[in-house]
Structures are given as C-alpha cells and as structure tokens.
C-alpha cells in the first residue's frame, strides 16, 4: 500500500500531488487560482494554515509568533489587511502550562502590534504520543483595499522581480537546530509583512506578491513561471544573501533557494515602478536589504533560470521532498 | 561584471584555447557534480570538453542488496537505524528507509557518526545500527566512533559497514576500454586523507591526466584547465590545486584510525559490480559491532530495477539523458535508480539544473 511520506509536506512536487488528490474529491474547481489566500466576494480574504514546527522555540521566534505571522502574511501578499484570526490548539498531554502560556503570549503580541482580533478558537488535548507537543492552526480573515486583484495572472514579460529580504533564513535556522549546528548570527526572519507591504499597495504597477515560505524563493518563482506561462531570470549576485544561512546550507548541502523564509516576500512590479517599489520597501526596517533580483521574460516559458555568481546559467527547480542533508 | 565572473570567463576562454580535440573528463565526486551544476559551469565549457560524472556519490554506488539489508535491519523490533539523510530515499528492491520510517520503524537522520553513538549512549534499551556509507572522507569518523564505543563498552552500538575506497574503483574505470577517459577531476577532501600517491598509477599506467581540485567554481575551472593543459602537452600527471590542504602523504593520523578498525575487503558497487579490495571490512576485534553478524542479516545480490541504467551512468558510458527512463518514468519525485534520488546523483543534477553544456533552458 502506498503511504504518505514526509516529503509530501515539503512544499515541492510531492505536495502538489497531495493537494491534487484532496481537491479532486470536492465539487466544482476549488481553490483554482492556487494563491496564498482566497479572496471572496466583497473583498473578504481568507486563509488557513497549520503550524507543526520542531523545535517549538527557535532563534528569532516561536510557534506562537509564527502561527500569526504566517497566516497574516498569506493575506498581506494579496493586498488584504489582516483583521481577524481563528485559532485551533492541539496539545499533547503532559505539555507544560508555562510553555503554552509563553507561546500564546508571543502570538498575542503579534496580534496586538498588527491590530488583529482573535474571534474564535478551539482546544483539544490528545493523549501522549499523538501530537508532537503542540500543533497550532490559524485561520486569518482580512479585507482587500487599494489593490484587490493582485495575483499570478497579472504577471507579464518585462516585469521586474523584487525580493524584500534575504531568502531562507527561517529554514536554515530550523535545519541548524534539528541537526545540532551552532552558527553565530543565525536567526529566523519570522515577522509580519503587512506594515511593509501596505506601503507598496498604492503602486499601480504592482502585479503580484508571495511570501517565500515552504519550498523557498525557488518554489515561488517556479510556480509563477508555470502558471503565468512566462520565463523568469534572476541574478545570484543581486540576491541579498544572509551569510549565516548560507553557511548552514553549505555545511548541510541544502539549497538556500529551497529554504523557507517567514518574513520575506517576492514582489512582481512593472518596470516603470520598480525603483519606486524598491525605495518604498527599503524605507521599512523589514525591507532594508530589499533588492531587484531579476525579471520576467517571454522566452523559455515555464522555466526559471539563475545567472550564477560564476557567470554560468542554470535552471532553478522546486524541491522534490524534504531537503535532506548530504553525506560528505 | 564582478571579479569572480571575470576570472571565470578568462578560465573558460583558456579552456577553449587548450582543447583542440574532443576530451572526456570525469568528475569523480558527487560534490563536484552538484557544484558544477549549481554554479552553471556546464554553460561555460567548450563543446569539445565532455564532462561525465563518476562513481563518487556514496548513495549512488551503494548496492541495492546493501540498501535491502539496511531496510531489513530497520524492520527488526528494538532496532534504531541511524544514517545520513541522503540514504533515506534510495529505493531497495521492495522498500526504502524513508518508507520504513513512514511505517513507524525507527529511522533517524544524523549528520555525523558521533551523533549515532550519542543515540546509543542515551537510549540503552535500543540497539543502534549506524548505516556507515561513504569513502575516505567518512571512514575515519566511523573508525573513530567504533574505537570510542569499544573503549566505553557501549554494547548497543553497531555498524552496517558499507564504506568504499575510491582508488580501486578508479582503477576499474581506467582499465575499462569502453569508458575511454582522458582525464579525472579528483576530489579535494578525499585527497586530504589519501594524499596524492594512490593516484599515481592513473597517469603512469593509463595515461590519464589528473587534477585534485576544491569545490568552488574557480577551483573547478582551474582543475579543468590543468587537465586540458596536461593533455595538450601530452604529459599526464597528478597535480594538486587544493593548496595547503592536500599534502603528498595525505593525513596519516586519519589513515591510521581507519587501519586500526578496518582491513581491505571486497565490496560490491552499483554499476561496477564486485571490486576486489575496494571496501573497508571491520577487523575481527570489532566484529561484535558488525550489525550483519549481530542480527544475522546477509547482503544478497539483487538485480537492478528494470530498464535502470544507473550502472552505465556511474561508469560514464551513458549520460543521464541517454537513459530511456530519464525524465519520464524516472524523475526526482518518482526515482527508479539511486542517481535520480541522491542530491549528489548525476541524473538528479541533470534533471534539476539543466541539460549538458548546450542549452541550460531545456530539460
């Protein structure tokens, strides 16, 4: 009997198979646009996400801050201001009250800073061994404003790709902690993107935004190239790399383009407004390392290429399953 | 254009000038393979230089029967299998360690042999099987851990010893007329341990040009320029471009650790078959730590999957793209053979990063 493997949850090609299996059982053509959140009639934006991170607390954040930032970011990249949150808590018997309180405090702090209201929730306690400590699910609800139609379908050749911060910092931090590496200066980028992305919304040439979470920047770009049927070319030397994350990836043999970020967005904007978008992003602390990293092309539709620091060119692909450390 | 790009463009130009006839160069090590692809270096090579990947991906050369043995060990109650992440996805004849983990078997990823011993120290009720793969680079750390376990009398630590030695495999390739290699790009880190002398037979007996190179783009390009120059001058030798790290005599301390624990033994390589004395067998003194003996499991010979050409790819006689399964029946989501599984496998690298040296935009 074929069973699920951990790779089905890693955001790459296996995840696509899993998602197709689920969607195929529902009437109509559910979540057809495959964006980060759904925008319902009246500009109501909705998203839901489960959080199962190990370890529960990491440099730069914890599962509490992550569960609010992650879902709020999924709304923010479609130009929707996060307003409400619903929270599901599944906690394992024997879990310390103190830890739960600490994580809920972090979640509450992010809500307070963003003006998000917790409106409903659920708690379940399961017997020991049936959950890995604590699983959180958040459903975030928001409202679109100036730019209701942001999405992949707007992407066209000539557009410019802007990255708001170094990619892969969250993934590298988690990988380092799982495999017992200590790296100075390494920290998750876990942050709510709304305050920065909000400043970009007045730009008419703003086409599409995506937070580079599971599967990393590489996956976001591949999905754009495939669904908008365009080519994308980026330049390795223009990506604002984080040194500590790169060392972790080098040591473990992981691809930084496939590592998740939790406070990093890729933005597609018309060439006329690229500089304006860059300046707006840079004006916000979260975007101080923002950079224009490439552009959308008519050639080689469906593919993403990277011009490497060596001057060569290669394809960028999505990760297949869980990124595993290499042997030597 | 930045400095690196400028220097590499110059090296690419030099390579073009030096190759006035078609030459076939094998990069032996999987880390080289991935680095070459990831840096897009194939798009900078002259058409006359054909680069083929060799048997230096530890996962790829692990024989199917060996994977089956690891899977069998994982199925025994009370056993915890600890191994490097790359090993999990490799399909055996019936299952993989990843599948076994999904079925609830205790399979854990470690990034060093030390971590496996640490599990044994902390979990006395489990019998730990460390699946030890790799070449001269990982054998010393396995040896060191076996010595520690022996000294500290850790009785619940065992090793499935699948270590392999690079030079005998190179000899097998060099002596195979079908392969017809002009040059080898040799891995820096293996050479740090071995030194240069074990490669001497390659230029002497087989006229093969050799360069030991590091893994950065510039170091790889320099290595290629070096072998192209040796070929043009008709003077093959073993040159080290790995700087201070490679001494002619290698690292005697690491080798002495290996010698204390292992002795040369025959080993089965995927694609190359059984190569005499190409393995590191556990010495009698440490046989209580031999997982196969302890748990009475044997390594059986099993045929490779139908149509899989990993063997030909590993010998450099077929490029991944020439395999009829490539890209359709065999791809990274549904790999048939190990070269498509491992992050360092040449098929996976070809699939993920582009075509040969021609058009990087085409799969």
């Amino acid at each position: 009997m074929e069973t699920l493997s951990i790779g089905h949850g890693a955001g790459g090609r296996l995840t696509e198979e899993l998602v197709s299996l689920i969607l195929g059982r529902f009437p109509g053509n559910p979540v057809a646009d495959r964006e980060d959140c759904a925008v319902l009639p009246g500009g109501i934006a909705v998203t839901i996400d489960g959080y199962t991170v190990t370890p529960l607390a990491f440099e730069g954040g914890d599962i509490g801050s992550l569960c609010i930032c992650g879902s709020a970011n999924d709304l923010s990249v479609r130009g929707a201001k996060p307003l409400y949150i619903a929270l599901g808590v599944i906690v394992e018997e024997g879990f310390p009250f103190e830890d739960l309180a600490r994580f809920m405090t972090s979640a509450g702090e992010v809500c307070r800073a963003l003006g998000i209201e917790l409106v409903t929730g659920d708690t379940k306690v399961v017997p020991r061994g049936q959950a890995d400590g604590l699983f959180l699910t958040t459903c975030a609800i928001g409202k679109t404003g100036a730019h209701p139609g942001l999405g992949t379908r707007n992407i066209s050749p000539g557009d410019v790709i802007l990255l708001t911060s170094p990619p892969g910092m969250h993934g590298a931090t988690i990988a380092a902690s799982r495999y017992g590496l200590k790296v100075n200066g390494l920290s998750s980028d876990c942050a709510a993107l709304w305050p920065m992305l909000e400043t970009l919304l007045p730009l008419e040439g703003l086409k599409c935004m995506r937070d580079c979470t599971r599967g990393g920047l590489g996956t976001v770009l591949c999905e754009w190239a495939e669904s908008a049927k365009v080519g994308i070319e980026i330049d390795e030397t223009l990506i604002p790399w984080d040194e500590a994350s790169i060392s972790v990836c080098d040591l473990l043999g992981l691809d930084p383009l496939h590592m998740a970020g939790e406070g990093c967005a890729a933005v597609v904007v018309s060439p006329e407004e690229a500089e304006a978008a860059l300046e707006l992003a840079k004006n916000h602390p979260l975007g101080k390392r923002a950079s224009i990293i490439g552009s959308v092309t008519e050639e080689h539709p469906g593919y993403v290429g990277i011009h490497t620091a060596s001057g060569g060119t290669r394809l960028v692909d999505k990760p297949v399953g869980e990124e595993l450390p290499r042997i030597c | 254009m930045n400095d690196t790009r400028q220097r590499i463009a110059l090296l690419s130009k030099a390579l073009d000038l030096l190759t006035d006839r078609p030459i076939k160069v094998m990069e032996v090590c999987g880390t080289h393979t991935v680095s070459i692809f990831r840096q897009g270096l194939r798009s900078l090579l002259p058409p006359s230089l054909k680069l083929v990947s060799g048997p230096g991906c530890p996962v790829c050369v692990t024989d199917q029967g060996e994977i089956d043995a690891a899977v069998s060990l994982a199925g025994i109650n009370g056993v915890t299998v600890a191994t490097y992440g790359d090993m999990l996805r490799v399909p055996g004849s019936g299952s993989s360690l990843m599948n076994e983990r999904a079925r609830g078997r205790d399979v854990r990823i470690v990034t060093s042999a030390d971590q496996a011993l640490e599990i044994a120290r902390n979990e006395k009720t489990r019998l730990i099987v460390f699946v030890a793969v790799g070449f001269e680079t990982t054998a010393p750390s396995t040896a060191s851990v076996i010595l520690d376990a022996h000294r500290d009398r850790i009785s619940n630590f065992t090793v499935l010893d699948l270590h392999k030695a690079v030079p005998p495999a190179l000899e097998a390739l060099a002596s195979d007329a079908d392969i017809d290699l002009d040059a080898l790009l040799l891995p820096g880190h293996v050479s740090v341990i071995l030194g240069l002398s074990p490669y001497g037979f390659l230029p002497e007996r087989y006229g093969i040009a050799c360069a030991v190179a590091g893994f950065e783009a510039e170091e790889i390009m320099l290595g290629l320029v070096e072998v192209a120059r040796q070929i043009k001058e008709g003077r093959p030798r073993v040159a080290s471009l790995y700087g201070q790290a490679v001494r002619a005599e290698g690292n005697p301390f690491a080798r002495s650790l290996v010698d204390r624990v292992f002795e040369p033994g025959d080993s089965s390589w995927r694609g190359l078959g059984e190569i005499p004395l190409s393995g590191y067998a556990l010495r009698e003194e440490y046989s209580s730590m031999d997982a196969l003996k302890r748990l009475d499991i044997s390594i059986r010979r099993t045929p490779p999957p139908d149509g899989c050409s990993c063997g030909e790819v590993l010998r450099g006689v077929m490029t991944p793209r020439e395999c009829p399964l490539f890209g359709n029946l065999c791809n990274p989501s549904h790999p048939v053979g190990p070269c498509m599984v491992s992050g360092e496998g040449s098929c996976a690298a070809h699939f993920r990063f582009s075509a040969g040296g021609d058009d990087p935009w085409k799969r």
Side-chain angles (χ1 to χ4, degrees):
Chain A
M1 187 175 56
E2 211 183 333
T3 56
L4 276 97
S5 75
I6 196 77
H8 283 100
R13 301 208 176 271
L14 289 173
T15 302
E16 286 169 24
E17 290 174 20
L18 174 64
V19 170
S20 299
L21 178 144
I22 295 170
L23 297 189
R25 269 69 183 173
F26 284 80
N29 189 7
V31 284
D33 62 6
R34 303 275 182 110
E35 298 281 1
D36 277 342
C37 73
V39 178
L40 307 178
I44 306 291
V46 188
T47 189
I48 186 160
D49 228 325
Y51 298 85
T52 59
V53 65
T54 312
L56 294 170
F58 42 85
E59 195 61 47
D62 59 36
I63 192 172
S65 54
L66 188 63
C67 82
I68 306 297
C69 292
S71 295
N73 288 346
D74 283 346
L75 299 182
S76 307
V77 291
R78 292 207 80 186
K81 179 178 166 60
L83 297 170
Y84 306 105
I85 209 120
L87 172 68
V89 180
I90 296 177
V91 61
E92 192 183 14
E93 169 185 39
F95 193 81
F97 266 113
E98 192 187 325
D99 290 355
L100 185 61
R102 183 157 57 100
F103 299 138
M104 291 302 114
T105 303
S106 323
E109 277 166 8
V110 181
C111 288
R112 193 169 298 117
L114 290 179
I116 296 175
E117 202 180 324
L118 175 67
V119 287
T120 182
D122 176 55
T123 54
K124 293 278 184 299
V125 180
V126 297
R128 195 180 273 272
Q130 290 190 15
D132 187 10
L134 176 66
F135 294 161
L136 299 176
T137 300
T138 50
C139 169
I141 298 168
K143 185 90 168 63
T144 58
H147 240 305
L150 288 180
T152 313
R153 64 177 180 282
N154 304 325
I155 300 174
S156 59
D159 287 346
V160 167
I161 314 259
L162 172 96
L163 192 69
T164 61
S165 61
M169 291 172 66
H170 179 73
T173 305
I174 298 298
S177 140
R178 275 189 199 163
Y179 298 116
L181 293 179
K182 295 234 183 312
V183 180
N184 277 341
L186 185 68
S187 171
S188 168
D189 56 345
C190 181
L193 289 164
W194 174 252
M196 171 178 55
L197 297 184
E198 185 185 19
T199 67
L200 302 181
L201 293 180
L203 296 175
E204 271 185 33
L206 187 66
K207 305 283 189 86
C208 178
M209 303 193 285
R210 192 68 76 79
D211 54 339
C212 306
T213 54
R214 198 172 56 169
L217 172 64
T219 299
V220 167
L221 298 178
C222 286
E223 284 177 0
W224 281 347
E226 282 167 22
S227 49
K229 300 185 177 58
V230 293
I232 291 179
E233 291 185 33
I234 57 172
D235 186 324
E236 191 174 8
T237 60
L238 298 178
I239 298 174
W241 297 109
D242 171 60
E243 288 298 328
S245 304
I246 292 295
S247 3
V248 170
C249 291
D250 279 352
L251 275 169
L252 294 174
L254 306 172
D255 189 340
L257 289 175
H258 291 163
M259 292 281 109
E262 287 294 345
C264 167
V267 175
V268 184
V269 63
S270 69
E272 296 78 21
E273 289 192 309
E275 284 304 321
L278 180 64
E279 203 179 315
L280 287 168
K282 277 180 168 293
N283 282 341
H284 193 277
L286 286 177
K288 61 177 188 294
R289 294 199 58 199
S291 172
I292 289 170
I293 62 164
S295 58
V296 179
T297 66
E298 210 163 322
E299 297 86 58
H300 34 79
Y303 290 107
V304 179
I306 182 165
H307 300 295
T308 68
S310 320
T313 303
R314 66 152 169 106
L315 289 186
V316 174
D317 196 16
K318 297 178 202 174
V320 172
E322 184 187 14
E323 289 265 310
L324 297 171
R326 63 152 177 241
I327 292 170
C328 62
Chain B
M1 195 148 68
N2 63 23
D3 287 354
T4 312
R5 282 184 181 170
Q6 236 157 13
R7 286 196 301 271
I8 286 176
L10 279 174
L11 290 169
S12 163
K13 184 76 192 155
L15 209 47
D16 195 21
L17 293 171
L18 284 166
T19 47
D20 44 16
R21 67 167 176 95
I23 60 173
K24 190 170 173 183
V25 184
M26 174 179 277
E27 88 272 0
V28 173
C29 174
T31 310
H32 268 149
T33 305
V34 170
S35 187
I36 287 165
F37 272 102
R38 193 166 273 171
Q39 310 273 354
L41 296 185
R42 282 179 168 253
S43 65
L44 302 174
L45 301 180
S48 49
L49 193 154
K50 187 176 180 191
L51 205 51
V52 296
S53 306
C57 154
V59 168
C60 303
V61 296
T62 301
D63 209 31
Q64 186 155 301
E66 297 176 332
I67 302 287
D68 288 344
V71 165
S72 303
L73 290 165
I76 298 173
N77 280 337
V79 165
T80 293
V81 166
T83 192
Y84 301 110
D86 251 7
M87 288 294 286
L88 261 65
R89 272 198 286 262
V90 187
S93 352
S95 180
S96 65
L97 288 172
M98 181 83 95
N99 277 340
E100 293 306 298
R101 189 173 74 169
R103 288 172 51 186
R105 303 302 188 183
D106 191 7
V107 177
R108 301 190 209 172
I109 296 174
V110 292
T111 54
S112 68
D114 280 334
Q115 288 180 348
L117 181 58
E118 210 45 45
I119 298 174
R121 289 185 200 272
N122 293 335
E123 301 180 37
K124 294 283 184 211
T125 59
R126 308 284 307 169
L127 180 65
I128 310 306
V129 176
F130 174 53
V131 180
V133 293
F135 307 106
E136 284 76 3
T137 42
T138 50
S141 57
T142 303
S144 153
V145 159
I146 287 174
L147 291 171
D148 287 353
H150 188 71
R151 180 198 61 208
D152 299 344
R153 298 173 199 280
I154 312 284
S155 58
N156 63 327
F157 180 75
T158 64
V159 173
L160 173 60
D161 164 29
L162 307 176
H163 282 299
K164 292 179 168 43
V166 169
L170 295 182
E171 171 116 52
L173 291 170
S175 59
D176 186 334
D178 287 351
I179 304 174
D180 195 24
L181 285 177
D182 296 296
L184 287 167
L185 191 65
L186 297 167
H189 50 12
V190 170
S191 313
V192 168
I193 310 287
L194 284 181
L196 301 178
S197 52
Y199 303 123
F201 71 94
L202 291 160
E204 284 157 25
R205 245 181 288 154
Y206 300 99
I208 293 176
C210 296
V212 174
F215 301 96
E216 297 295 328
E218 221 169 312
E219 298 172 315
I220 291 169
M221 291 298 278
L222 273 171
L224 294 175
V225 168
E226 168 63 29
V227 292
R229 186 163 54 197
Q230 290 179 24
I231 293 168
K232 192 174 167 77
E233 291 171 354
R235 285 199 317 205
R237 61 191 193 95
V238 182
S240 172
L241 305 168
Y242 207 45
Q244 301 290 321
V246 178
R247 287 173 299 176
E249 74 280 14
N251 182 337
F253 175 72
R255 284 207 311 279
S256 77
L257 278 180
V258 171
D259 284 344
R260 277 171 67 190
V261 174
F262 299 109
E263 58 193 354
D266 300 345
S267 180
S268 227
W269 296 57
R270 198 183 297 241
L272 304 177
E274 177 119 343
I275 303 175
L277 305 182
S278 67
Y280 290 98
L282 271 176
R283 288 188 184 276
E284 187 53 38
E285 199 181 342
Y286 304 102
S287 63
S288 64
M289 270 184 259
D290 184 336
L292 293 174
K293 284 189 184 150
R294 183 90 163 254
L295 292 159
D296 196 22
I297 296 278
S298 56
I299 295 180
R300 290 202 187 83
R301 285 182 172 255
T302 51
D306 277 350
C308 175
S309 313
C310 279
E312 284 75 13
V313 169
L314 287 167
R315 288 162 59 225
V317 292
M318 187 188 263
T319 66
R321 238 158 268 274
E322 286 164 357
C323 172
L325 306 187
F326 181 86
N328 40 60
L329 286 173
C330 181
N331 58 60
S333 315
H334 298 284
V336 176
C339 298
M340 190 59 96
V341 178
S342 165
E344 303 203 331
S346 53
C347 296
H350 274 263
F351 188 91
R352 282 159 63 203
F353 295 131
S354 82
D358 39 14
D359 183 358
W361 292 103
K362 290 272 153 40
R363 280 252 160 73

